[in-house]
């Protein structure tokens, strides 16, 4: 069965520090998708990225970057030069279209606090 | 930009009452979902809906829950007799087609059961 583990429950950094949020997943499927969502204090879920299992190329979007490594079943998320507005809960998620359609399995989330 | 809208944003109800949460998915989307998030916990899948029927449901989605698309635009989640443990944020989501696409989430409906 699919599983997503975010071992870091809470992380606290000072503004401008770089921070990496870890995500490890388990799946038996060869085709799957990985996601990151941000949940700010207002509560909505904000889509950040989707990556399919066949594309291991790392991605950078502004201060955000993602490192996907199938060999270690990890999909880590790095924020460079963090800002106070980055404070939120970040969720990693997995979907397995072949076995469960677009149903997402979420990790427990990592609460990131960026202090001024 | 099209978005998924949910109403109400917050509802307070007494235990045992029926609650209906409403969602308007993005208009050309075909697959609809409800997820639940108990305060401070992870987001959990409840049910998926396609072609006017449930395509998958989790063990959380018991006989107290039902979903329907009554008029081709709204997608509703009904909880027949609410329990204290139903207090949570409920998110509606939709995608245009199945297959790992970006799930567009609404802003959520917070349900508080007293």
């Amino acid at each position: 069965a699919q599983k997503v583990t975010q071992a870091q429950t809470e992380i606290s950094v000072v503004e401008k520090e770089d921070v990496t949020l870890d995500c490890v997943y388990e799946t038996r499927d060869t085709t799957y998708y990985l996601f990151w969502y941000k949940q700010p204090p207002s509560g909505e879920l904000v889509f950040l990225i989707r990556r399919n299992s066949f594309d291991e190329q790392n991605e950078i979007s502004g201060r955000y970057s993602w490192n996907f490594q199938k060999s270690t079943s990890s999909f880590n998320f790095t924020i460079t030069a963090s800002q106070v507005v980055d404070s939120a809960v970040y969720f990693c998620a997995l979907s397995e279209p072949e076995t469960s359609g677009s149903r997402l399995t979420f990790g427990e989330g990592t609460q990131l606090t960026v202090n001024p | 930009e099209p978005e998924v809208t949910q109403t109400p944003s917050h509802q307070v109800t007494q235990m045992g009452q029926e609650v209906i949460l409403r969602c308007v998915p993005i208009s050309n989307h075909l697959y609809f979902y409800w997820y639940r998030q108990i305060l401070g916990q992870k987001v959990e899948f409840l049910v998926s809906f396609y072609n006017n029927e449930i395509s998958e449901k989790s063990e959380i989605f018991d006989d107290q829950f039902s979903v329907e698309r009554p008029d081709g635009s709204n997608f509703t989640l009904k909880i027949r007799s609410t329990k204290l443990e139903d207090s949570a944020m409920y998110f509606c989501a939709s995608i245009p087609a199945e297959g790992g696409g970006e799930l567009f989430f609404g802003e959520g409906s917070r349900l508080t059961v007293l």
Side-chain angles (χ1 to χ4, degrees):
Chain A
Q2 65 271 41
K3 185 179 177 182
V4 177
T5 302
Q6 295 179 252
Q8 305 149 306
T9 306
E10 296 181 27
I11 299 176
S12 183
V13 298
V14 177
E15 209 169 16
K16 298 183 183 174
E17 285 185 21
D18 299 347
V19 58
T20 295
L21 309 181
D22 297 333
C23 173
V24 174
Y25 61 92
E26 294 177 27
T27 178
R28 294 179 182 170
D29 285 15
T30 55
T31 302
Y32 53 90
Y33 292 83
L34 295 162
F35 301 75
W36 277 94
Y37 283 86
K38 174 182 179 180
Q39 187 175 44
S42 49
E44 72 271 26
L45 289 167
V46 179
F47 169 83
L48 295 178
I49 190 172
R50 172 175 67 106
R51 175 51 52 87
N52 77 58
S53 52
F54 299 107
D55 181 5
E56 288 192 72
Q57 192 169 13
N58 291 333
E59 181 156 340
I60 298 174
S61 176
R63 295 184 298 105
Y64 295 169
S65 62
W66 291 268
N67 183 283
F68 177 28
Q69 294 198 347
K70 285 178 80 169
S71 60
T72 56
S73 297
S74 65
F75 186 45
N76 297 336
F77 172 33
T78 297
I79 302 174
T80 303
S82 59
Q83 300 176 0
V84 173
V85 294
D86 295 328
S87 297
V89 180
Y90 290 86
F91 290 98
C92 180
L94 165 72
S95 76
E96 299 166 309
E98 292 171 6
T99 53
S100 55
S102 296
R103 167 181 182 163
L104 290 184
T105 298
F106 283 81
E108 300 283 341
T110 297
Q111 170 73 61
L112 173 65
T113 302
V114 181
N115 298 297
Chain B
E1 185 176 325
E3 59 183 21
V4 177
T5 57
Q6 290 186 239
T7 54
S9 56
H10 188 195
Q11 182 159 352
V12 181
T13 190
Q14 295 291 324
M15 191 169 55
Q17 295 296 305
E18 176 183 283
V19 162
I20 297 177
L21 305 178
R22 292 183 168 79
C23 169
V24 179
I26 296 172
S27 62
N28 63 342
H29 285 192
L30 301 177
Y31 291 81
F32 314 113
Y33 304 82
W34 283 101
Y35 284 77
R36 179 183 82 173
Q37 185 184 28
I38 294 171
L39 186 63
Q41 298 186 21
K42 67 179 178 181
V43 181
E44 302 172 290
F45 168 80
L46 287 178
V47 65
S48 58
F49 191 86
Y50 169 71
N51 201 25
N52 284 321
E53 60 182 25
I54 291 173
S55 50
E56 190 182 2
K57 59 184 181 180
S58 73
E59 54 279 2
I60 302 169
F61 195 87
D62 61 23
D63 291 344
Q64 293 297 315
F65 291 91
S66 62
V67 289
E68 66 175 0
R69 194 160 154 77
D71 56 13
S73 60
N74 289 288
F75 177 51
T76 62
L77 173 69
K78 182 192 290 187
I79 308 174
R80 191 181 317 147
S81 178
T82 50
K83 303 187 282 285
L84 294 176
E85 54 265 38
D86 294 327
S87 294
M89 180 77 93
Y90 290 82
F91 291 101
C92 175
S94 67
I95 55 170
E98 199 170 51
E102 175 195 339
L103 211 54
F104 291 82
F105 283 94
E107 295 195 343
S109 293
R110 180 166 297 285
L111 175 65
T112 302
V113 183
L114 302 177

